[in-house]
Amino acid sequence: VSVLVDTSRSMAIQEDGRPRLDHVRAALGEGFLEQLEEKFRVRLYTFSSGLERVQSLESIGPNGGSTRIGESVAGLLGESTVLPLGAVVVVSDGSDNTGAFNRELMTEIRQRRVPVHTVGVGRTDMPEDIELGDIRVANRTMPHSQVSAHVTVRHHGSKQTDTRLTVRDDSSILASKTITLRRGETVQTEEIDFNAGDAGVRNLRFSLDPIEN
């Protein structure tokens, strides 16, 4: 049995006065791993941007830049052709945030026929949490024409507040506007316009400024 523990930066968020990763250390150390080891050979891993085999959670910290759940599980299952693997336990506070957990990767994981069990950590809704959802924009347009993008924003805050929506082409800012996140409205769609510029391929990136507590 392989146990994968999320060490992305969000695992440093405080829950009941302690970082999430501390709660995980405590839970795994209060007999869970020992009970597994009575019946199975247990391998412990951490993951964020990549997968790493560890002997203990005591020396690791929540400093990873992303949460690559799909790629980490698939990489581990790929090793199962050499090392027998009966099950995978994934301990994480969130979903894969890299955009790489697509249908092909899910199919690859299913084809291994190894049970994958997930354990959630922390609250499902964070105060003043914001998230970019669907982004709809034309695939093609005329040079120097005006382009409109429709962006879905999810907000779990308890009060009305403002943030800034920005569109970039790589590092160049194409447009930026202040949007109001309305109280009690967890999902809203915003429109932002920008100029297509010269002919050529664009690498568009959309971002939201953090909400100040």
Side-chain angles (χ1 to χ4, degrees):
V1 175
S2 292
V3 179
L4 278 64
V5 177
D6 185 352
T7 53
S8 60
R9 282 192 291 266
S10 61
M11 292 293 282
I13 293 175
Q14 298 283 316
E15 298 279 357
D16 298 326
R18 299 166 61 192
R20 290 174 174 174
L21 188 56
D22 282 3
H23 288 282
V24 173
R25 288 193 186 101
L28 294 180
E30 291 174 356
F32 176 77
L33 289 178
E34 290 181 359
Q35 291 178 21
L36 278 181
E37 289 170 347
E38 290 176 358
K39 297 181 179 180
F40 308 101
R41 180 180 177 184
V42 177
R43 301 183 183 93
L44 188 61
Y45 295 82
T46 61
F47 73 93
S48 55
S49 301
L51 184 69
E52 182 180 355
R53 175 80 184 275
V54 295
Q55 300 301 320
S56 165
L57 293 178
E58 298 306 317
S59 61
I60 55 96
N63 50 20
S66 60
T67 307
R68 296 181 176 272
I69 296 178
E71 292 180 1
S72 298
V73 172
L76 178 65
L77 294 177
E79 297 179 3
S80 66
T81 57
V82 179
L83 298 173
L85 183 59
V88 176
V89 178
V90 179
V91 184
S92 176
D93 66 346
S95 59
D96 192 304
N97 62 9
T98 64
F101 202 171
N102 51 32
R103 183 170 298 180
E104 289 75 16
L105 193 56
M106 292 177 66
T107 300
E108 178 184 340
I109 291 173
R110 288 195 187 100
Q111 288 175 343
R112 297 292 182 178
R113 298 187 179 277
V114 175
V116 178
H117 307 279
T118 57
V119 180
V121 181
R123 293 161 285 179
T124 55
D125 293 335
M126 292 294 295
E128 310 311 331
D129 183 39
I130 53 176
E131 176 187 1
L132 280 174
D134 294 333
I135 299 172
R136 290 180 287 117
V137 64
N139 291 328
R140 298 171 181 269
T141 189
M142 298 295 293
H144 301 288
S145 63
Q146 196 76 353
V147 179
S148 294
H150 294 84
V151 181
T152 300
V153 180
R154 298 184 179 90
H155 173 229
H156 300 290
S158 58
K159 60 183 179 180
Q160 181 168 298
T161 187
D162 293 338
T163 185
R164 179 161 289 275
L165 173 63
T166 302
V167 186
R168 291 180 174 85
D169 176 20
D170 287 327
S171 60
S172 300
I173 295 178
L174 302 181
S176 185
K177 63 178 285 190
T178 298
I179 61 174
T180 298
L181 303 172
R182 297 178 285 275
R183 178 182 179 183
E185 193 170 337
T186 56
V187 179
Q188 63 188 71
T189 300
E190 299 292 333
E191 183 176 348
I192 186 168
D193 300 325
F194 56 94
N195 191 285
D198 296 335
V201 177
R202 296 286 177 265
N203 181 23
L204 298 179
R205 297 193 298 118
F206 294 76
S207 65
L208 292 168
D209 286 356
I211 297 176
E212 296 183 3
N213 294 325

